[in-house]
Amino acid sequence: MRAARPINWSNPFSVENGFKLRQRNQGSSSSCTAQATGYYTEALEKIENFKDEKYSARHIYSQTFMPQGGTYVWKAMKIPLGGLASQDSVPDGDSS
């Protein structure tokens, strides 16, 4: 069995018809649901409005987390309907 090649995070991910989206490493974040919701919304924003916007996973997680850990996907996916915070306004690691 061969070892997996390391991922080059600087290469964009090709989605379809020449559309490319940057790859992102979740790093130490424990909220995969918030990360995925933000990433999904970024892709829609780029496809539908041709805007390259970064959304804050922390903003999503802060509104959806459960005290015992984790979150529900349906709860996280409601956040984009009401509006998301940009990555600049609520950066990762900001606990305020």
Side-chain angles (χ1 to χ4, degrees), residues 47-87:
I47 291 169
E48 294 177 358
N49 301 315
F50 307 103
K51 292 167 74 177
D52 195 15
E53 190 73 46
K54 285 180 71 176
Y55 292 111
S56 170
R58 178 167 285 291
H59 173 254
I60 297 165
Y61 186 69
S62 70
Q63 297 179 68
T64 62
F65 76 96
M66 296 183 294
Q68 67 275 24
T71 187
Y72 293 110
V73 173
W74 67 265
K75 201 170 183 182
M77 291 305 290
K78 285 176 61 174
I79 302 298
L81 298 174
L84 287 168
S86 70
Q87 178 69 25

Side-chain angles (χ1 to χ4, degrees), residues 3-69:
R5 291 182 305 165
I7 295 173
N8 182 351
W9 296 106
S10 63
N11 287 341
F13 180 71
S14 182
V15 179
E16 60 183 43
N17 301 330
F19 170 73
K20 294 184 185 286
L21 188 66
R22 66 185 174 77
Q23 292 189 72
R24 184 166 56 203
N25 185 345
Q26 183 175 328
S28 63
S29 172
S30 60
S31 177
C32 52
T33 301
Q35 295 286 338
T37 301
Y39 200 60
Y40 172 76
T41 309
E42 288 173 20
L44 286 180
E45 189 70 24
K46 194 162 189 176
I47 291 169
E48 294 177 358
N49 301 315
F50 307 103
K51 292 167 74 177
D52 195 15
E53 190 73 46
K54 285 180 71 176
Y55 292 111
S56 170
R58 178 167 285 291
H59 173 254
I60 297 165
Y61 186 69
S62 70
Q63 297 179 68
T64 62
F65 76 96
M66 296 183 294
Q68 67 275 24

